[in-house]
């Protein structure tokens, strides 16, 4: 039993719970994605022993080894890194969720490569709400066109939006990009009420800003450092 990881998870859960109270949201609406990039199989097992089931990975090479060695546990894997379109097969075959979709080419390949034996791949579109040239994701103005480009892909379930904003320090400034992402989700739901069902997920908020994200409607918070410690 890893006491440190256990304590860390308890305190992240407490923060999530308090943010839900503040936002008058049900705690069950917000799920915790444990970001395990660079962390070992035994650290992931320690987190799984605390009841965590969903793990996020950024680097495919290390992810595959970990996924294969943990395949006796009922875990769901989420890809949250930058995807090169020649690496889509690994995501199509090994992951349940893809949070960082921002290219039609990658989407087409994921759709083709998703094995018949598996349920559809759940995808979130990454939006560059901070309009930061260093961040990936599609610009907000291109979102509708991008969503329309994805609608024919039968093996992808379009579930919502994701963002990775430039870090800011005050609660109020942290909220700004999360407000924008929530409004983009709502606008997409309205515009495509016939085409998109279950388009209701917001992947936003990390160790430093999960409270602001929850107040703005996050359904997934992606937490690495505050669960597993610094990545060194
Ligand atoms: C690494 C990473 C996280 C986790 O960040 P922490 O600050 O360690 O909680 C969340 N989302 C993405 C996309 C990441 O790459």
């Amino acid at each position: 039993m890893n006491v440190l990881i256990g304590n860390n998870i308890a305190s992240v859960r407490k923060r999530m719970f308090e943010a839900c109270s503040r936002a008058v949201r049900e705690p069950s609406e917000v799920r915790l994605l444990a970001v395990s990039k660079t962390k070992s199989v035994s650290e992931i097992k320690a987190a799984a022993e605390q009841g965590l089931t969903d793990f996020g990975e950024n680097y495919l090479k290390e992810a595959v080894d970990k996924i294969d060695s943990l395949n006796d546990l009922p875990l769901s894997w989420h890809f949250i890194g930058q995807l090169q379109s020649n690496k889509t097969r690994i995501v199509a075959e090994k992951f349940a969720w893809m949070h960082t979709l921002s290219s039609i080419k990658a989407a087409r390949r994921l759709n083709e490569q998703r094995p018949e034996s598996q349920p559809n791949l759940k995808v979130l579109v990454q939006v560059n709400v901070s309009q930061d040239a260093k961040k990936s994701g599609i610009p907000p103005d291109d979102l509708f066109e991008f969503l329309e480009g994805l609608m024919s892909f039968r093996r992808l379930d379009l579930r919502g939006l994701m963002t990775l904003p430039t870090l800011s320090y005050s609660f109020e400034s942290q909220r700004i990009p999360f407000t924008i992402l929530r409004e983009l989700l709502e606008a997409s739901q309205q515009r495509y009420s016939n085409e998109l069902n279950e388009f209701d997920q917001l992947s936003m908020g990390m160790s430093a800003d999960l409270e602001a994200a929850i107040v703005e409607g996050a359904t997934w918070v992606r937490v690495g450092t505050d669960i597993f410690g610094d990545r060194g």
Side-chain angles (χ1 to χ4, degrees), residues 10-38:
S11 74
V12 169
R13 284 186 166 136
K14 180 160 180 284
R15 287 170 59 196
M16 292 172 65
F17 189 85
E18 286 169 358
C20 285
S21 308
R22 176 171 180 175
V24 200
R25 298 185 61 196
E26 285 296 324
S28 62
E29 289 174 15
V30 190
R31 287 186 279 175
L32 176 55
L33 177 62
V35 175
S36 47
K37 62 178 173 223
T38 79

Side-chain angles (χ1 to χ4, degrees), residues 35 37 58 80 162 164 206-208 222-226 231:
V35 175
K37 62 178 173 223
N58 297 57
I80 62 169
M162 176 273 194
L164 180 60
M206 317 196 293
S207 294
R222 309 180 307 266
V223 181
T225 308
D226 285 359
R231 284 181 292 273

Side-chain angles (χ1 to χ4, degrees), residues 97-222:
W97 289 75
M98 160 68 181
H99 286 231
T100 48
L101 192 65
S102 59
S103 120
I104 295 285
K105 186 176 171 199
R108 180 175 300 113
R109 294 173 61 106
L110 290 167
N111 182 62
E112 285 166 7
Q113 293 166 344
R114 184 67 169 173
E116 285 303 326
S117 57
Q118 293 201 38
N120 284 358
L121 181 66
K122 298 180 181 70
V123 301
L124 305 176
V125 173
Q126 182 172 7
V127 184
N128 186 357
V129 282
S130 318
Q131 308 264 28
D132 178 340
K134 293 192 295 294
K135 302 267 182 199
S136 39
I138 58 160
D141 285 346
D142 297 353
L143 178 61
F144 292 156
E145 193 189 339
F146 188 74
L147 289 174
E148 287 168 21
L150 298 176
M151 282 174 189
S152 63
F153 296 136
R154 298 281 157 238
R155 300 305 325 278
L156 308 182
D157 282 346
L158 306 184
R159 293 303 311 275
L161 304 177
M162 176 273 194
T163 198
L164 180 60
T166 316
L167 193 56
S168 39
Y169 295 94
S170 79
F171 183 81
E172 287 309 321
S173 53
Q174 288 170 358
R175 275 178 80 159
I176 296 168
F178 301 145
T179 309
I180 297 172
L181 198 71
R182 174 175 51 72
E183 290 174 351
L184 288 169
L185 183 87
E186 290 165 356
S188 310
Q189 287 170 335
Q190 276 193 354
R191 187 178 174 104
Y192 302 113
S193 57
N194 296 320
E195 294 85 356
L196 298 176
N197 36 59
E198 284 199 306
F199 193 74
D200 55 7
Q201 301 292 303
L202 286 171
S203 168
M204 58 189 196
M206 317 196 293
S207 294
D209 55 10
L210 67 89
E211 286 87 352
I214 289 172
V215 166
E216 287 303 329
T219 62
W220 286 105
V221 291
R222 309 180 307 266

Side-chain angles (χ1 to χ4, degrees), residues 40-54:
S40 67
V41 165
S42 66
E43 289 167 299
I44 296 171
K45 273 189 184 149
E49 279 167 19
Q50 304 297 317
L52 297 192
T53 53
D54 290 83

